[in-house]
Amino acid sequence: MTDCIFCKIAEGTIPADKVYEDDLVVAFRDLNPKAPVHVLVIPRKHIATLNDLTEEDHAVLARLQWVATRVAQQEGIAEDGYRTVMNCNADGGQSVYHIHLHVLGGRQMEWPPG
């Protein structure tokens, strides 16, 4: 997708403060953090929403979560705790239509979240 900001970050055509990348995913710091640690983990493949996932995408979803745990360890929040969140569509809070997993930590998380 040529107009997707996350696709451009994954391609490297838009700079981002990347903390991890491999052949399936890229993780980078959120520009508008909601916690002391706020990292987004995105697939390199463009998938607009969770509703657009196919059976073939299960490896990508597993990789997003696995990378989130690595990021939490790397950022020093794994031991105290952290939150992972995926939003779907407007009412779910999704603002960029390329699936992404938020990794939030470094402070006590509130409940309910929204």
Side-chain angles (χ1 to χ4, degrees):
M1 254 193 117
T2 58
D3 62 339
C4 175
I5 190 167
F6 285 178
C7 285
K8 291 177 181 178
I9 288 171
E11 295 168 351
T13 56
I14 291 180
D17 185 2
K18 294 179 183 175
V19 297
Y20 179 89
E21 63 183 310
D22 64 26
D23 59 331
L24 289 179
V25 304
V26 177
F28 55 93
R29 297 189 192 287
D30 194 298
L31 286 177
N32 186 21
K34 304 300 182 203
V37 174
H38 189 169
V39 173
L40 302 178
V41 186
I42 66 168
R44 289 186 183 274
K45 175 185 177 184
H46 182 83
I47 304 167
T49 75
L50 291 171
N51 295 334
D52 298 308
L53 290 165
T54 67
E55 188 172 346
E56 292 77 33
D57 295 322
H58 74 276
V60 169
L61 274 183
R63 191 67 174 184
L64 291 176
Q65 192 60 58
W66 182 84
V67 168
T69 63
R70 302 290 78 76
V71 166
Q73 292 169 349
Q74 176 182 307
E75 297 292 316
I77 60 172
E79 191 66 31
D80 288 339
Y82 58 99
R83 178 173 290 163
T84 61
V85 177
M86 290 186 83
N87 302 319
C88 185
N89 286 324
D91 281 358
Q94 186 175 7
S95 59
V96 176
Y97 285 82
H98 182 123
I99 64 168
H100 51 286
L101 180 68
H102 297 260
V103 181
L104 301 141
R107 67 167 171 80
Q108 178 69 47
M109 297 287 117
E110 302 287 325
W111 195 262

